Amino acid sequence: MLLEIICLVFCILTSFLFIYVRSKKTGVTALLLKMLASGTILITAILLSYKYVSEFYSMFITFGMFFGLIGDILLDLKQLYPKDEKKYLYAGFLAFSLGHIMYFLGISSEIPHIDYYWMYTLLLIIPTSIVTYLTLIMCKKMNVDISEDKGVITMYTAVLSYIVIYSIFVLIIYPKLWILALGFVCFAISDVILSTMYFGDKKDSKLTCVINHTLYYIAQILIVFSICFIY
């Protein structure tokens, strides 16, 4: 239990430090602190993987955290280098998409066998399509202009929507992973808020920045500590 407490404290402290600085200004310092916060969560995933050894789950969660760290760096670089903003934005979305795929593989490797499991996972594409469509509609209602990046954002929204719906589906058959489902819900809400900062009128809102990053790091912490809940 001591390892878990130490890891949790460091994750919270580094996340809080980054959020505090990021709410004041952007720049190299904020980027370095973001790397520290996300890196701490990645290290936590590695340490927990050694204590809670599973065949694949902890490995894929760790890979997901690694891609999350890469995504964090890329999305902050777009603010440091505005001329290459699109490149960093698209690369960041790709990194996070790969992270979500890793989470999917990890969950799939761990849940108990049920009949027609893969048929159910394919059927989840239907509610995913509906949620993705409704999200894009909601963007218009929120004055979020994604017209220039609609293809990439639609792809990422579909990936994120699927992993959220999938985690809720898994929760029904494997209640131990409730913490993971809660994490993905926080992740999705964080990304909705982030869209108002990137493509809407909340770019300079400190409150929006704080809420966005707070939900994001709560999500990351919940996901990484799900490693402790599979036994």
Side-chain angles (χ1 to χ4, degrees):
M1 182 61 71
L2 181 60
L3 173 64
E4 291 88 335
I5 293 174
I6 293 173
C7 288
L8 179 60
V9 169
F10 271 94
C11 286
I12 293 173
L13 288 177
T14 54
S15 300
F16 177 80
L17 181 59
F18 161 70
I19 292 169
Y20 175 77
V21 173
R22 178 64 179 79
S23 66
K24 301 294 182 182
K25 60 179 180 179
T26 59
V28 176
T29 301
L31 172 60
L32 293 175
L33 289 174
K34 192 174 191 180
M35 292 171 63
L36 174 64
S38 297
T40 300
I41 294 175
L42 174 59
I43 292 171
T44 296
I46 295 170
L47 293 175
L48 293 180
S49 296
Y50 276 101
K51 183 173 181 179
Y52 299 90
V53 179
S54 64
E55 189 172 2
F56 292 112
Y57 183 81
S58 57
M59 178 185 71
F60 281 118
I61 292 296
T62 302
F63 283 152
M65 291 297 159
F66 170 75
F67 283 115
L69 171 61
I70 299 301
D72 284 334
I73 294 171
L74 290 167
L75 291 184
D76 256 37
L77 284 175
K78 86 179 190 65
Q79 301 192 48
L80 294 178
Y81 302 100
K83 290 184 178 180
D84 297 316
E85 177 182 7
K86 296 298 183 184
K87 293 179 181 178
Y88 290 121
L89 179 68
Y90 296 164
F93 280 142
L94 176 61
F96 278 111
S97 295
L98 290 173
H100 295 322
I101 292 171
M102 293 297 106
Y103 299 140
F104 169 79
L105 293 174
I107 300 168
S108 298
S109 71
E110 194 61 36
I111 63 173
H113 171 75
I114 59 172
D115 293 333
Y116 308 113
Y117 165 75
W118 289 109
M119 182 185 74
Y120 293 139
T121 59
L122 289 174
L123 286 174
L124 292 179
I125 293 175
I126 298 173
T128 296
S129 301
I130 296 171
V131 170
T132 301
Y133 176 75
L134 291 176
T135 301
L136 296 178
I137 295 297
M138 184 176 66
C139 284
K140 294 181 179 179
K141 300 292 184 180
M142 296 170 60
N143 295 320
V144 174
D145 183 11
I146 60 170
S147 55
E148 293 184 8
D149 313 289
K150 191 171 184 178
V152 173
I153 293 173
T154 300
M155 179 275 294
Y156 176 74
T157 302
V159 172
L160 178 58
S161 298
Y162 183 87
I163 195 64
V164 172
I165 294 170
Y166 176 69
S167 67
I168 295 172
F169 163 71
V170 169
L171 177 63
I172 298 171
I173 61 175
Y174 198 41
K176 284 186 178 182
L177 289 181
W178 64 268
I179 189 173
L180 190 71
L182 180 59
F184 282 123
V185 169
C186 289
F187 205 122
I189 297 172
S190 169
D191 275 356
V192 170
I193 295 172
L194 183 65
S195 69
T196 66
M197 297 170 61
Y198 280 0
F199 310 105
D201 56 0
K202 302 293 185 181
K203 183 177 181 180
D204 300 318
S205 171
K206 292 183 179 181
L207 178 60
T208 303
C209 176
V210 169
I211 295 173
N212 163 244
H213 286 105
T214 299
L215 283 170
Y216 172 70
Y217 279 107
I218 288 174
Q220 292 287 74
I221 291 170
L222 289 173
I223 292 169
V224 77
F225 275 89
S226 70
I227 294 173
C228 307
F229 283 73
I230 61 174
Y231 295 98

